Amino acid sequence: MTLLEVDGISVSFDGFQAINGLSFAIGEPELRAVIGPNGAGKTTFMDIVTGKTRPDSGRVLWGETNRNILGQSESAIARLGIGRKFQKPTVFEDQTVRENLAMALKDRRGPFSVLFGLPADEGRLLDFAEEVGLAAQLDRLAGELSHGQKQWLEIGMLLAQEPRLLLVDEPAAGMTPAEREHTTDLLKRLARRHAVVVVEHDMDFVRRLDCRVTVLHEGRVLAEGSLDHVTQNQDVIDVYLGR
Ligand code: ADP
């Protein structure tokens, strides 16, 4: 099933056309890599889907009803089930892994559970810790975790928000080979139940993900298909070689 469809999106910044008639769809479940050279529009695409940037034209269609969600606030879009993970991990370093996850769980349950200090559901908290591979680290301070573990914690916190679509920006950047492997497995596992869009520069990592790839260039789709398919496309080769 198609979960998200961007349809004819265009946006310009001070006369510069950053996104130019962008159209493509993401299924649920699905793992998709979005690649493209610097300035291709990958970040702006995520900004538009999450409601941070409003395009000049086009539609963003969501869910079973194909509802156009453009114009909704960032928090309303997050509540629909669109979660975003930025490249730099933003966990609470002076809190434990358990406290970080508990906060994300309470956040999902709304302001009253935070206000009245209601405990987070320990069972669900453990599920999320296990899912991202941090069950043995629950009582460690997030600030003591490795870079990779912090990234997984943040993915766990995102999962606590019960997203249907996860937008993940360069998840393996700065990771050790073992952490990259764990991250590959984690993303593949998540993509059995969720729509997962990975924005990525690192072609070796994209190859490991072994998924459909969308290549952006100058704010539109240049090619789409398996990594082998798109890397044989002459337009893609020209763009990457800067011709
Ligand atoms: P990518 O993430 O693929 O590197 P971006 O989406 O960040 O590309 O940027 C696409 C283009 O739009 C770039 O040329 C960038 O300089 C420009 N751009 C993005 N955001 C803004 C902004 N807020 N103001 C002006 N130009 C912007």
Side-chain angles (χ1 to χ4, degrees):
M1 181 203 108
T2 297
L3 179 63
L4 178 90
E5 184 178 352
V6 292
D7 177 32
I9 294 284
S10 293
V11 62
S12 58
F13 300 111
D14 303 324
F16 176 78
Q17 195 80 42
I19 297 286
N20 191 3
L22 180 66
S23 296
F24 69 103
I26 310 286
E28 181 190 49
E30 185 184 349
L31 181 57
R32 175 76 59 92
V34 174
I35 66 171
N38 263 339
K42 303 180 296 294
T43 306
T44 309
F45 153 73
M46 289 192 284
D47 288 346
I48 289 169
V49 170
T50 53
K52 190 174 169 203
T53 294
R54 198 166 291 198
D56 304 323
S57 56
R59 302 182 302 166
V60 176
L61 305 173
W62 174 255
E64 288 77 0
T65 54
N66 272 341
R67 181 151 65 106
N68 186 7
I69 59 170
L70 266 192
Q72 294 202 23
S73 68
E74 285 183 77
S75 54
I77 287 178
R79 278 196 302 276
L80 283 176
I82 298 181
R84 178 177 188 176
K85 166 145 182 23
F86 289 89
Q87 200 180 329
K88 203 166 167 284
T90 50
V91 296
F92 298 98
E93 304 240 336
D94 56 348
Q95 311 252 349
T96 63
V97 168
R98 182 193 304 279
E99 286 165 342
N100 270 278
L101 287 169
M103 224 169 326
L105 270 166
K106 284 184 182 179
D107 213 29
R108 174 69 193 179
R109 287 163 56 193
F112 290 110
S113 85
V114 178
L115 207 59
F116 296 120
L118 298 178
D121 181 337
E122 179 75 8
R124 297 195 56 231
L125 192 152
L126 282 174
D127 286 345
F128 293 123
E130 216 146 84
E131 174 98 48
V132 298
L134 292 176
Q137 318 289 340
L138 276 173
D139 295 316
R140 283 184 68 194
L141 287 179
E144 292 173 355
L145 299 177
S146 71
H147 170 71
Q149 288 173 322
K150 284 181 194 167
Q151 298 283 32
W152 307 329
L153 173 55
E154 204 186 357
I155 290 176
M157 292 165 72
L158 258 189
L159 291 176
Q161 307 283 316
E162 296 175 14
R164 291 177 71 181
L165 169 68
L166 285 145
L167 300 168
V168 192
D169 194 6
E170 293 190 47
M175 285 191 178
T176 65
E179 288 175 337
R180 288 159 69 88
E181 200 174 321
H182 178 107
T183 305
T184 308
D185 293 344
L186 172 58
L187 293 171
K188 283 183 174 173
R189 208 165 52 240
L190 292 180
R192 290 190 205 137
R193 282 180 288 118
H194 301 82
V196 180
V197 176
V198 179
V199 170
E200 189 54 74
H201 279 287
D202 181 334
M203 287 303 151
D204 173 58
F205 187 69
V206 173
R207 185 163 297 286
R208 284 157 186 268
L209 291 177
D210 188 24
C211 66
R212 193 173 176 82
V213 175
T214 301
V215 188
L216 301 192
H217 177 54
E218 295 180 344
R220 65 168 82 95
V221 174
L222 185 65
E224 196 167 272
S226 68
L227 186 61
D228 283 339
H229 174 79
V230 299
T231 51
Q232 283 163 20
N233 179 308
Q234 193 57 45
D235 292 339
V236 174
I237 295 169
D238 289 349
V239 159
Y240 270 92
L241 296 180
R243 286 188 216 157

